[in-house]
Amino acid sequence: MLGKEQGPEVESWFGAEEGTDPAIDNEWPLLPFMALSDGAHAATEDFSYFTLLRPAKGPLPATSLFGISCTRQMDASSLINRPAEVTRSTVQKAVVVVAESPQFFGMLRERLSIVTSAWFAQRDFTETDILKRFQESLKSEADRGKLGEGDEDRDQYLGMSLRQLVREFKWQTLVLFKCCLLQPKMLFFGSRCERLCMMQFSLVSLIPGLIRNLPDCADPELNSYEESLVMPTSLKTSDRNSLLLYMGLPLQIFGKGSLFGPYTPLQQLDVLADYGTKSYIVGSTNSLLLQQKDRYSDILINLDEKCISVTSSSLRAALTLSVADRRWIDFITQSVNDTWDDANPGRPKTMGYVGSEEFIRLQFEEYLLSLISSVKCHNYLIAHAYDPKVMLPQVEGDPSSDFGADWIEAWKRTENYRIWESKTDGQLFDIVEPKHPCAGGLTIDDVQRRLAQQVQEFHLDERFAVGKEVLGRNFAAGKEKASTVFNKLYADMEALRESQRRRAEENRALAEKSGGTSPNASGFAPDLTRAQTTVQSVGSKAGAYMSSWASWAGEKRKVGWGRSSSSATSPTSKSNPWARMSIPPKEIVSEKTSVEIASAPSTLETPRPRTQESYQESIFDADHSPGTESTEELAERSEARASSELAEEPVSVATSTVPTHQLVEATQSPPG
């Protein structure tokens, strides 16, 4: 039991000998920091998983132990019996179980959570009877062998969700798996400690049998597994464990120079930076490590952002998946996605085998067996390349190429490959077929599957569905509005036609009663006879005007356009105001211009003749007395009246059917 009132410290031990402190005896000074993780105060309940080194004592060799802690917190004011050393407003404590194997952590987690919750519910931390009884029950079950009774695989993977791992990382799950076999420095980061640790256990459990064989993972100096390993000499094909053992599994990635720390506090960074630490898989909840990822990691897995960063260029090239690898992991990812259930992520919604935890585990087991068999075949082909007697006709080409040539070369330089190669038979490809589970080149099915996954990954189908729904809804609304507008327009037109028809009928009936002209739909019809008479009258007047202008122009051509200055004072223009009315509008404008010029002062002694004075003349040059009204004056008066009528009554007729000479004779003949 640990407390954190004045900093993490161990308060009491249960199951240890009286008067002893295992933390001091085994040199576990970092135990309180491992059990109380950074950021645990942000959650009501959190779990931490870590490894401890038990040094050698007498006949017992040094080995690794595994710890699981349940952390909870409560307000100090809620305590019934508040000790004097509790000075903070919040009390945080953890209950820790130290076991020899993480095999049964799934079962331990559930029981530990119940016990810790009940202990906090007492609101008195001095009452520890419930913790004592819990420890005694675990010891009793271990002594009777019930913890390992029956199938040794029972409950060993509880809480380590492979479905969640594949769901989140998709094809990168295989990248992480192959990365573990290359034994680089892998750093996991996440704000939730339990999720951080569970992901690492899930990854380690993909190597068959490894989770039960981790005696050297707590310290880089341990190497007991390789020292005690012997080459198997017999095989029972009907026994799965015998087959795995004969094939050289598990591949021991935590041997000498390696370290496994699901949760690693900052106080343990010196071990990571030690020269003897060549590789490790560790996790941290402290973001300070992200700032030094280049120093402490070859690959960083950020669980909060669900991304993987490979800082080593050589490792990045080796982790590139082949076409067959991508086809294989895409199949598993699709199986998980098709059976995913948000209400119960750990179990397929179909309650079937495909997509389940066991399905994923056996798929990776088949992949690993095919891998090591293909590598053995690859080594055999190289060793006997020039001996045609021992060639393998049933094998086409190099089967290991489907797993990635760069990865194969990188794996051959690792410690786990060295141990495996030295402790296994050279012809394992006779037991398991040396062939990738999804061997073959790139096909159209691979392209289609990847496109479908990209659509699903970026939620393009959902976006298109939403856009299609919005577009359909807007189109329906627009169609309805347009239909309403057209219907209203049609109704208005029909109403207008009906009103015009009724008005026409009323006007017709009114005209029949009054004896007038029958009306049409828009009112009374125009009088065509009167209109024709008006048109003829206007045409006659317009023709007379044009004829008089033509006669005047002819006379001017005869006598010449230039006139003397004396004509400016012609008595006709002064005494007969009607003579000026017969001048065309153009001449009137010219007259105004000549008058303005004449009125301007001149510096010349002899007045300059005004060339435009001729425009002030009348049409006819015949002399007449001022007191008598000649025929020309009558003609000019009639022309002026016609001009005024044309200005007052606009007409659309521009020509006349009456000959010009007849109009001239009519204006020259005096009245009888």
Side-chain angles (χ1 to χ4, degrees):
M1 180 183 68
L2 293 91
K4 196 176 182 181
E5 292 84 4
Q6 299 177 354
E9 60 182 5
V10 179
E11 292 184 350
S12 58
W13 285 89
F14 302 99
E17 296 182 2
E18 190 71 23
T20 61
D21 189 348
I24 298 177
D25 297 341
N26 297 309
E27 299 179 356
W28 295 339
L30 301 181
L31 175 60
F33 298 96
M34 294 178 177
L36 291 169
S37 62
D38 296 332
H41 60 277
T44 304
E45 182 182 64
D46 202 0
F47 291 84
S48 175
Y49 301 79
F50 50 91
T51 57
L52 297 169
L53 171 63
R54 187 185 67 183
K57 289 184 179 181
L60 297 177
T63 187
S64 300
L65 299 180
F66 301 87
I68 174 175
S69 70
C70 178
T71 306
R72 296 183 68 93
Q73 59 185 347
M74 66 181 302
D75 293 335
S77 58
S78 302
L79 293 175
I80 297 177
N81 183 12
R82 181 172 180 174
E85 62 270 12
V86 178
T87 58
R88 299 184 180 182
S89 60
T90 302
V91 179
Q92 188 178 34
K93 292 184 179 294
V95 179
V96 183
V97 175
V98 178
E100 295 180 352
S101 172
Q103 182 177 352
F104 307 102
F105 271 5
M107 176 268 296
L108 284 177
R109 181 201 179 279
E110 301 302 325
R111 297 173 65 175
L112 182 60
S113 175
I114 296 174
V115 170
T116 306
S117 178
W119 185 47
F120 269 75
Q122 297 178 153
R123 297 188 300 168
D124 186 0
F125 294 129
T126 59
E127 295 291 335
T128 58
D129 292 340
I130 188 173
L131 301 181
K132 293 179 181 179
R133 292 196 299 269
F134 176 55
Q135 187 275 330
E136 292 173 357
S137 65
L138 293 178
K139 185 176 183 301
S140 176
E141 291 180 3
D143 293 340
R144 296 197 308 268
K146 286 191 174 182
L147 287 178
E149 184 179 8
D151 187 1
E152 57 182 1
D153 292 339
R154 180 176 59 90
D155 290 340
Q156 64 172 329
Y157 307 120
L158 181 62
M160 305 176 190
S161 177
L162 294 179
R163 287 173 54 83
Q164 186 72 23
L165 179 65
V166 174
R167 175 78 171 183
E168 291 186 7
F169 290 96
K170 302 178 179 62
W171 59 271
Q172 291 180 327
T173 305
L174 182 57
V175 173
L176 294 177
F177 175 74
K178 299 180 73 173
C179 184
C180 289
L181 298 178
L182 296 182
Q183 293 182 263
K185 296 180 179 180
M186 300 182 66
L187 174 61
F188 285 77
F189 171 79
S191 56
R192 290 297 304 274
C193 186
E194 181 181 17
R195 183 170 179 267
L196 175 74
C197 300
M198 286 294 97
M199 284 300 172
Q200 296 174 67
F201 275 113
S202 298
L203 202 59
V204 171
S205 67
L206 289 177
I207 301 177
L210 180 59
I211 203 170
R212 300 190 301 270
N213 294 276
L214 296 173
D216 305 327
C217 68
D219 191 272
E221 299 297 328
L222 299 180
N223 194 30
S224 60
Y225 180 84
E226 181 183 5
E227 294 172 355
S228 60
L229 185 63
V230 294
M231 180 183 294
T233 56
S234 62
L235 169 64
K236 188 177 181 181
T237 56
S238 59
D239 187 356
R240 171 176 172 269
N241 292 329
S242 176
L243 174 63
L244 296 179
L245 184 62
Y246 189 82
M247 296 295 292
L249 298 180
L251 298 176
Q252 187 52 260
I253 61 176
F254 298 115
K256 187 175 181 59
S258 299
L259 176 68
F260 178 43
Y263 174 70
T264 303
L266 294 179
Q267 291 78 4
Q268 205 174 0
L269 290 181
D270 58 339
V271 179
L272 303 183
D274 189 78
Y275 178 77
T277 306
K278 304 299 182 181
S279 66
Y280 50 73
I281 297 178
V282 296
S284 176
T285 59
N286 198 312
S287 59
L288 293 177
L289 280 179
L290 297 179
Q291 303 174 6
Q292 303 182 32
K293 62 180 181 180
D294 294 337
R295 177 183 180 185
Y296 291 104
S297 68
D298 295 326
I299 178 172
L300 173 65
I301 300 94
N302 193 325
L303 300 182
D304 291 345
E305 298 181 1
K306 299 179 182 179
C307 65
I308 299 176
S309 301
V310 183
T311 57
S312 173
S313 58
S314 59
L315 181 62
R316 185 183 301 109
L319 292 179
T320 302
L321 297 182
S322 64
V323 174
D325 282 345
R326 188 61 187 268
R327 184 186 300 121
W328 179 81
I329 191 61
D330 286 346
F331 164 71
I332 296 179
T333 303
Q334 188 65 30
S335 300
V336 173
N337 292 334
D338 292 343
T339 59
W340 186 259
D341 186 4
D342 292 328
N344 189 2
R347 179 177 298 177
K349 62 181 179 181
T350 58
M351 299 298 176
Y353 170 72
V354 177
S356 63
E357 295 277 326
E358 192 64 22
F359 169 80
I360 299 173
R361 199 175 306 281
L362 291 181
Q363 291 295 322
F364 273 90
E365 180 179 306
E366 178 188 5
Y367 178 90
L368 189 56
L369 291 175
S370 301
L371 168 64
I372 58 181
S373 177
S374 299
V375 172
K376 283 290 186 179
C377 182
H378 170 77
N379 295 340
Y380 181 86
L381 292 176
I382 293 178
H384 301 84
Y386 303 102
D387 189 356
K389 297 181 180 180
V390 293
M391 295 301 293
L392 303 175
Q394 73 275 13
V395 178
E396 298 180 1
D398 186 0
S400 66
S401 60
D402 287 330
F403 296 92
D406 292 338
W407 187 89
I408 296 296
E409 294 300 322
W411 184 47
K412 288 183 176 181
R413 296 190 294 266
T414 62
E415 284 295 312
N416 72 88
Y417 174 83
R418 181 186 61 80
I419 298 173
W420 170 79
E421 177 66 17
S422 62
K423 302 295 182 181
T424 53
D425 187 82
Q427 297 184 7
L428 294 180
F429 51 86
D430 291 335
I431 308 299
V432 177
E433 182 182 7
K435 182 181 180 182
H436 195 288
C438 293
L442 184 65
T443 63
I444 188 62
D445 294 335
D446 300 329
V447 177
Q448 293 177 351
R449 183 170 55 254
R450 293 186 187 181
L451 289 177
Q453 289 181 354
Q454 291 292 332
V455 170
Q456 185 177 7
E457 181 177 355
F458 291 105
H459 304 284
L460 297 180
D461 51 348
E462 300 177 3
R463 297 178 184 178
F464 290 155
V466 173
K468 183 179 180 180
E469 181 181 356
V470 173
L471 180 61
R473 185 166 57 249
N474 293 338
F475 180 77
K479 183 179 179 181
E480 183 179 357
K481 290 182 180 179
S483 177
T484 303
V485 170
F486 284 119
N487 292 338
K488 187 175 182 301
L489 179 61
Y490 181 78
D492 292 343
M493 294 178 61
E494 290 296 326
L496 179 61
R497 291 179 181 177
E498 184 65 21
S499 62
Q500 291 179 349
R501 186 184 62 79
R502 292 180 180 178
R503 190 182 303 111
E505 292 179 355
E506 293 175 357
N507 293 338
R508 189 181 299 109
L510 183 60
E512 291 177 356
K513 290 181 180 180
S514 60
T517 308
S518 46
N520 55 12
S522 61
F524 293 101
D527 191 350
L528 299 180
T529 304
R530 182 179 178 182
Q532 186 176 4
T533 304
T534 303
V535 170
Q536 291 178 356
S537 176
V538 172
S540 300
K541 295 177 181 179
Y545 175 78
M546 297 299 297
S547 299
S548 63
W549 192 88
S551 300
W552 173 81
E555 290 294 333
K556 295 302 293 181
R557 284 196 299 270
K558 292 179 181 180
V559 298
W561 292 95
R563 298 295 297 273
S564 62
S565 60
S566 61
S567 64
T569 58
S570 175
T572 305
S573 60
K574 294 180 180 180
S575 61
N576 189 8
W578 296 102
R580 299 179 63 182
M581 296 298 296
S582 63
I583 302 175
K586 181 178 179 181
E587 304 304 329
I588 296 176
V589 174
S590 301
E591 178 188 5
K592 291 181 180 180
T593 306
S594 64
V595 172
E596 292 175 359
I597 296 175
S599 61
S602 177
T603 57
L604 299 176
E605 296 179 357
T606 305
R608 183 178 179 180
R610 291 169 289 186
T611 58
Q612 296 183 358
E613 289 178 349
S614 60
Y615 291 106
Q616 298 179 0
E617 303 178 18
S618 60
I619 297 178
F620 301 102
D621 294 332
D623 295 331
H624 59 279
S625 60
T628 60
E629 185 176 12
S630 62
T631 306
E632 290 81 352
E633 293 176 347
L634 292 176
E636 290 173 358
R637 183 182 302 176
S638 63
E639 291 171 358
R641 187 182 300 109
S643 300
S644 63
E645 290 178 358
L646 285 174
E648 294 175 356
E649 183 178 1
V651 294
S652 60
V653 181
T655 59
S656 174
T657 57
V658 182
T660 304
H661 67 275
Q662 294 180 1
L663 290 176
V664 175
E665 293 175 358
T667 57
Q668 291 181 353
S669 59

